[in-house]
Amino acid sequence: MQSLNRKDTLPEVGGMVLVMGVTGAGKSTFVNALKPESVTVGHNLESTQAPPQAVQIFLDEEKTRSITVVDTPGFDDTRRSNTQILAEITEYLATQYALQIPLRGIIYMHSINENRMKRSSRQFLEMFQLLCGDDALRKVKFVTTHWDNIDPDREGEALRREQQLLDEWWAPMLEKGSSNTQFSGSHDSAEGIVLDLMSDEESIVLEVQRELVDCDMDLGDTKAGKSLRKVIEDDIAQCKTSIEDIDTQMANATRPRRRSDDDGKMDRNQAEVKALRRRREDLQKRMDELEPRQRELKARGKVGQKVKRKISEEQKKANADKAKGMFSSAMEVFTAVLNIVLVVVSFAIL
Ligand SMILES: Nc1nc2c(ncn2[C@@H]2O[C@H](COP(=O)(O)OP(=O)(O)OP(=O)(O)O)[C@@H](O)[C@H]2O)c(=O)[nH]1
Ligand SMILES: [Mg+2]
């Protein structure tokens, strides 16, 4: 691992908790719930799309202990490619690890309003497991959200969905030490969840952090990257097979007919060919989208090295500030590298 000069920044006592989950799960709502209303936040919050935030909570008046809760990019395969999301999330993870900020746990959010596990939720859960590796699972908390949105007469249904999540989807991780809880939407509930992850002094290192930062691997060669590569390859292979199948059906449908063929059948054939042609165009469009994603994953290269370079640049700036008597914390470098807003909450009684 490229050595990073910790003397350039103040040490981080306490560490970090990352909030993860698909888009709409309630990550930002959770992070916001940790802030008292009076807190002043970053200057660029007027923009319609609120930037990601990190809320640093100092636990004592001397400001010697803190915990920072960080909102991470949501997994949303409709607006951005999976590759893009994987790259963004791993950039957060690599930066935290390269800065040697202890990772005290991960809060994995899931909306209880989601009737059935969506494809994007399933894919994210799979990717999450590969990012984490088994060892880190003991400090992962699965948190269901949107409970305050459930009509009282629908609570039974929601509880059944929760049980299904526990039994069918999260069971392998719960068996390896993960825990679960509900987020009620309140400040106290958010605080309780963070506090619970802080109840021991332990921190974790994720599989992908070792891969990217310790071993300088290409993103596409990490376990999560390989699995994503396979999903893309399988999708492409499936499109190809379907296109070949359609071509065979079109060849049959457009074969010259005997005179005895009636006009009705001709019409049916034309309609069938038209539908096949439309399906073929859709599949071709999907293939055209998938092929650049394969290249994109490769092009992401060594995320760990890129992050270390960015950290060095930020530390140089921190050094210049130090000469002027201003000190930067590792957390400030973290937020500068990732371009996220750092909100400081002082003297919170957790
Ligand atoms: N009632 C209720 N609404 C919630 C809860 N969590 C989130 N929401 C709402 O659901 C929507 C999405 O929540 P966000 O917190 O923005 O979700 P997110 O996970 O940050 O989503 P991305 O930033 O897109 O990844 C917002 O309109 C929230 O107000 C909750 O626990 N209860
Ligand atoms: Mg958000």
Side-chain angles (χ1 to χ4, degrees):
M1 177 175 158
Q2 182 183 316
S3 77
L4 295 160
N5 194 353
R6 286 298 309 269
K7 283 191 275 0
D8 294 343
T9 49
L10 292 179
E12 218 48 70
V13 187
M16 186 177 279
V17 167
L18 295 169
V19 185
M20 295 185 147
V22 297
T23 191
K27 299 177 293 296
S28 305
T29 305
F30 179 85
V31 172
N32 271 323
L34 289 166
K35 299 184 305 194
E37 273 175 25
S38 60
V39 80
T40 45
V41 291
H43 59 280
N44 49 351
L45 283 186
E46 285 96 18
S47 63
T48 46
Q49 180 128 35
Q53 288 184 48
V55 176
Q56 184 172 29
I57 307 165
F58 281 98
L59 308 171
D60 55 354
E61 293 206 12
E62 294 74 37
K63 288 198 172 187
T64 55
R65 290 185 66 229
S66 76
I67 183 75
T68 306
V69 184
V70 180
D71 197 356
T72 67
F75 188 87
D76 173 9
D77 59 357
T78 57
R79 274 186 298 169
R80 287 172 304 159
S81 74
N82 296 359
T83 309
Q84 221 173 330
I85 298 157
L86 177 67
E88 282 178 29
I89 291 174
T90 50
E91 203 182 329
Y92 275 57
L93 296 173
T95 308
Q96 167 261 316
Y97 184 53
L99 276 166
Q100 300 171 21
I101 299 170
L103 181 57
R104 306 295 300 273
I106 296 179
I107 295 173
Y108 187 107
M109 313 224 90
H110 182 92
S111 169
I112 201 63
N113 266 336
E114 200 176 304
N115 281 335
R116 274 158 150 232
M117 197 76 165
K118 288 185 297 192
R119 186 172 186 247
S120 54
S121 298
R122 288 201 306 268
Q123 282 184 345
F124 187 65
L125 187 63
E126 205 179 302
M127 190 172 91
F128 177 76
Q129 281 172 264
L130 296 169
L131 289 175
C132 272
D134 284 355
D135 268 3
L137 289 173
R138 65 199 154 86
K139 296 279 281 177
V140 170
K141 197 175 267 300
F142 288 96
V143 177
T144 41
T145 56
H146 289 254
W147 283 99
D148 57 322
N149 236 351
I150 301 284
D151 286 342
D153 55 337
R154 292 253 158 132
E155 211 177 309
E157 253 173 66
L159 288 169
R160 271 194 297 280
R161 276 201 298 274
E162 184 188 35
Q163 199 54 50
Q164 196 180 19
L165 283 167
L166 299 177
D167 294 344
E168 287 181 29
W169 298 100
W170 298 340
M173 286 145 289
L174 295 169
E175 276 162 22
K176 288 176 185 145
S178 301
S179 56
N180 72 286
T181 192
Q182 298 175 354
F183 171 50
S184 76
S186 74
H187 172 76
D188 286 355
S189 172
E191 227 177 45
I193 290 167
V194 175
L195 183 64
D196 196 42
L197 284 170
M198 299 269 298
S199 61
D200 56 31
E201 291 295 314
E202 286 185 47
S203 55
I204 44 170
V205 178
L206 309 186
E207 176 87 22
V208 78
Q209 295 179 317
R210 289 201 183 91
E211 291 173 319
L212 292 176
V213 181
D214 293 344
C215 305
D216 282 334
M217 279 167 76
D218 279 353
L219 182 61
D221 291 333
T222 62
K223 282 194 180 139
K226 273 187 193 157
S227 130
L228 184 53
R229 208 161 65 189
K230 184 157 182 341
V231 169
I232 300 171
E233 279 165 9
D234 288 352
D235 274 0
I236 290 176
Q238 207 176 358
C239 283
K240 274 188 183 150
T241 312
S242 302
I243 286 176
E244 279 165 17
D245 195 36
I246 286 175
D247 285 348
T248 311
Q249 289 181 54
M250 290 225 289
N252 283 339
T254 52
R255 230 180 16 220
R257 305 268 163 203
R258 289 195 312 274
R259 269 199 195 160
S260 58
D261 285 343
D262 60 29
D263 288 349
K265 197 163 183 184
M266 292 272 283
D267 285 349
R268 270 204 310 280
N269 276 353
Q270 273 172 4
E272 193 187 327
V273 168
K274 215 168 153 186
L276 285 170
R277 200 166 285 142
R278 225 176 292 131
R279 267 195 58 211
R280 195 188 193 286
E281 279 167 13
D282 287 347
L283 284 163
Q284 189 59 54
K285 209 168 130 204
R286 172 114 186 97
M287 286 252 293
D288 293 345
E289 281 166 10
L290 287 167
E291 277 162 353
R293 283 187 196 173
Q294 259 181 329
R295 290 193 293 275
E296 193 192 338
L297 185 59
K298 211 163 178 199
R300 291 286 170 174
K302 301 194 184 304
V303 171
Q305 278 188 359
K306 283 183 202 163
V307 158
K308 284 183 239 176
R309 268 198 301 276
K310 280 197 204 172
I311 290 176
S312 291
E313 283 164 24
E314 286 303 327
Q315 283 182 326
K316 268 188 211 141
K317 287 187 208 161
N319 250 347
D321 287 344
K322 202 164 93 180
K324 290 184 225 152
M326 290 149 64
F327 287 88
S328 301
S329 67
M331 208 57 70
E332 281 166 333
V333 174
F334 174 86
T335 47
V337 166
L338 296 164
N339 200 18
I340 60 183
V341 175
L342 179 65
V343 182
V344 177
V345 179
S346 292
F347 317 135
I349 311 146
L350 270 179

